[in-house]
Amino acid sequence: MRTYADLIRGDFEAYIADVQDYFRCLDEERAQAFVEAGEVSEDYGRFVEAVE
């Protein structure tokens, strides 16, 4: 096990870095989806007011 410790440690650290990047990407996309949903809701609100 000691022979491969550095290799395994490096692989694990790379995996954790990739997971963190993935979660960061999801957070950014989630935030953008909320912004877009708010814009669509505002547009729909203006549409409803115009047809009433």
Side-chain angles (χ1 to χ4, degrees):
M1 288 176 43
R2 292 186 196 281
T3 303
Y4 298 103
D6 289 339
L7 178 62
I8 293 169
R9 186 177 298 112
D11 285 350
F12 177 74
E13 291 172 359
Y15 169 77
I16 293 300
D18 288 346
V19 168
Q20 289 173 339
D21 288 344
Y22 176 71
F23 284 140
R24 211 172 355 267
C25 179
L26 287 177
D27 289 342
E28 291 170 6
E29 287 300 317
R30 181 177 184 269
Q32 184 60 35
F34 273 108
V35 168
E36 291 173 6
E39 292 169 354
V40 169
S41 294
E42 289 175 6
D43 289 346
Y44 181 70
R46 285 190 289 275
F47 167 77
V48 169
E49 288 177 8
V51 296
E52 290 181 343

